[in-house]
Structure formats: C-alpha cells, structure tokens
Amino acid sequence: WFCVAALHGSGGNIVTIERTEDYRRVKRLVDANPIDQESEWKLTISRDVFYLIEVQDGEDVGVWCFDPTENGDYEMHAAMSKACRGKAAVTSGLDAIRWIYENTDANTIIAPVPEYLKYAQRIPIAAGLVYEGMKHGRKIYKMQRELFNELSEVM
C-alpha cells in the first residue's frame, strides 16, 4: 500500500488515505456500508482499479474506488462508514482525488451518484465537481484536472 500522509482530522485524530490491493479489506468496507441495504457499486478485482482506504486512528472507515474508463478518465465510487460522512467525506474525497491526479495521468474524474440518494448529491458539489446531467438514473458529476489544480491553489 501507499500512504498519502496524515492529511486531516480534528481533536488529535490521525487520518490517512492508503492505496490497497487487499480486496478483502475493500469488500469488508463495501459490504459493511451499504446504501439502502444494497451496495451502490460492485468490487472489481483488477490492478487497473485504484482502491484508496480512509483510515482514522488506525481504523478503516471508508473506501474510494477509481475505475478507469476506456478513454482514460476515472469513474469514482465510495463506501463510507458513519465516521466518514458529511464534511469528512468531502475532505476525504478531495484527498483521494488529489492522490489520483498526483499518481496517474487521469484528466477527468466522473462521480455517478444514484438520483435517489439526495444527501449524497451534496458531497460532489461541496467538493467542487460540476453537474453534467443524468445517465441511467444517476446524476453525473465531473472534475477536470485543470479545475482541481485551480481549487488546490485556494484550498
């Protein structure tokens, strides 16, 4: 695994983002944090897919999945425990996007959020992703590398 570093946290918490190829670790997080009793996305075992685990004080609390598309963009999915939701999910997601842009040649991150997950729609918007429209019952949000670089300058 690759550790980004102590990235954020409050009250002395140490929070890191780690890349993992431990698919059992990813599956435990996905299965333990379903949305409406069903996982929003399925685990893909492939070296092409990046799984980044959010770790708070030594405990796995969420996973970000970045699945490459045929044109070199990455589709982003998440499974977050209650310890990594709301503002914590926005911060974690930005850390994960930063990791992808620093470690791959990705140009665009695509976040398809099921339309029925109203509360989850706030996360990509708060993180600066741009709404692009609907596709197969999902709201599509995107972030270009150039936009991320601009946002990083003011963060």
Side-chain angles (χ1 to χ4, degrees), residues 95-153:
D95 290 338
I97 290 170
R98 178 178 295 107
W99 191 96
I100 288 294
Y101 281 141
E102 289 177 354
N103 292 281
T104 72
D105 60 355
N107 185 47
T108 305
I109 302 296
I110 303 163
V113 181
E115 184 179 21
Y116 67 89
L117 294 177
K118 302 295 183 202
Y119 62 91
Q121 304 297 327
R122 295 182 223 149
I123 295 170
I125 293 167
L129 281 78
V130 177
Y131 177 69
E132 293 282 324
M134 290 287 296
K135 185 175 181 182
H136 307 296
R138 297 173 184 265
K139 290 189 174 186
I140 306 299
Y141 299 89
K142 292 185 179 182
M143 179 172 285
Q144 304 287 332
R145 180 183 289 268
E146 295 154 8
L147 175 59
F148 182 79
N149 291 341
E150 289 174 19
L151 291 173
S152 294
E153 290 175 13

Side-chain angles (χ1 to χ4, degrees), residues 30-155:
V30 172
D31 290 348
N33 298 289
I35 299 171
D36 294 337
Q37 307 304 317
E38 180 179 318
S39 294
E40 186 263 319
W41 53 278
K42 302 294 182 212
L43 174 69
T44 301
I45 298 176
S46 169
R47 289 192 176 270
D48 295 332
V49 177
F50 292 95
Y51 292 104
L52 305 177
I53 304 284
E54 165 112 4
V55 181
Q56 292 180 9
D57 293 328
E59 181 182 341
D60 294 350
V61 296
V63 59
W64 296 99
C65 167
F66 291 88
D67 193 358
T69 65
E70 59 278 347
N71 61 358
D73 297 334
Y74 283 82
E75 195 167 284
M76 178 181 192
H77 301 280
M80 298 288 139
S81 71
K82 289 182 177 151
C84 190
R85 292 194 181 154
K87 186 176 180 182
V90 173
T91 303
S92 177
L94 286 170
D95 290 338
I97 290 170
R98 178 178 295 107
W99 191 96
I100 288 294
Y101 281 141
E102 289 177 354
N103 292 281
T104 72
D105 60 355
N107 185 47
T108 305
I109 302 296
I110 303 163
V113 181
E115 184 179 21
Y116 67 89
L117 294 177
K118 302 295 183 202
Y119 62 91
Q121 304 297 327
R122 295 182 223 149
I123 295 170
I125 293 167
L129 281 78
V130 177
Y131 177 69
E132 293 282 324
M134 290 287 296
K135 185 175 181 182
H136 307 296
R138 297 173 184 265
K139 290 189 174 186
I140 306 299
Y141 299 89
K142 292 185 179 182
M143 179 172 285
Q144 304 287 332
R145 180 183 289 268
E146 295 154 8
L147 175 59
F148 182 79
N149 291 341
E150 289 174 19
L151 291 173
S152 294
E153 290 175 13
V154 297
M155 289 193 272

